[in-house]
Amino acid sequence: MDASGWAAWAAAVTSLATLVVTTVVGGRRERHRWARDALTDAFVAFLEASWRHSDTAGGTAGTDAYAEPLLAEYREMRSQLTRLRLLAADGVVDAGESLLRRQRQVHDVPAGPERDEALAAASRARRAVIDAAKKEMGL
């Protein structure tokens, strides 16, 4: 084989190596991008359900008419927390579980000062989830 033949083989091997490296690195980037996007979506959905739950509970003024909407938002939070368990670190999950417990307390106490106190505790727990989410995402 002459020099041009060796050069062609070298070019082909180099091209194949470049293709493999690009595919592997690109695939990893895509997986990381997907995981980050899925994690962001789970955080947003979890927190939005928490805020809706608190908003609904804050407007109940002692009526039972909001029991089902409160329960629906609580269920949504539980569902989103399952997604967070799959995607996030333990610190985030712990903060999410704490918020879920606080939201349940909001649901369980009667309207009035006790509920106001439970809503304030839920708000603090929500802030802890936000802080944990930012840390998890490197923000």
Side-chain angles (χ1 to χ4, degrees):
M1 191 179 298
D2 64 355
S4 64
W6 285 110
W9 271 104
V13 168
T14 302
S15 179
L16 179 61
T18 302
L19 177 64
V20 168
V21 168
T22 302
T23 302
V24 169
V25 171
R28 285 184 186 156
R29 275 193 203 129
E30 279 302 311
R31 279 193 304 271
H32 286 276
R33 185 176 297 131
W34 174 86
R36 185 180 175 114
D37 290 347
L39 183 58
T40 301
D41 291 345
F43 280 135
V44 169
F46 181 73
L47 291 168
E48 283 179 345
S50 172
W51 276 305
R52 284 191 308 266
H53 186 274
S54 290
D55 289 347
T56 301
T60 60
T63 67
D64 291 330
Y66 292 95
E68 189 55 39
L70 283 173
L71 193 54
E73 296 304 339
Y74 179 80
R75 286 183 189 131
E76 176 65 15
M77 286 181 66
R78 255 191 4 219
S79 175
Q80 295 305 324
L81 185 58
T82 298
R83 288 178 63 200
L84 288 175
R85 284 184 179 109
L86 295 171
L87 296 166
D90 290 342
V92 173
V93 174
D94 293 344
E97 288 171 346
S98 176
L99 175 55
L100 189 67
R101 283 191 299 274
R102 300 298 175 271
Q103 293 292 166
R104 186 62 198 199
Q105 288 172 346
V106 167
H107 181 84
D108 291 343
V109 299
E114 286 181 68
R115 181 164 299 163
D116 293 341
E117 186 178 311
L119 284 167
S123 181
R124 289 188 298 274
R126 193 178 304 115
R127 185 70 215 163
V129 170
I130 291 168
D131 292 341
K134 286 181 175 182
K135 183 177 179 183
E136 176 81 6
M137 294 189 302
L139 300 175

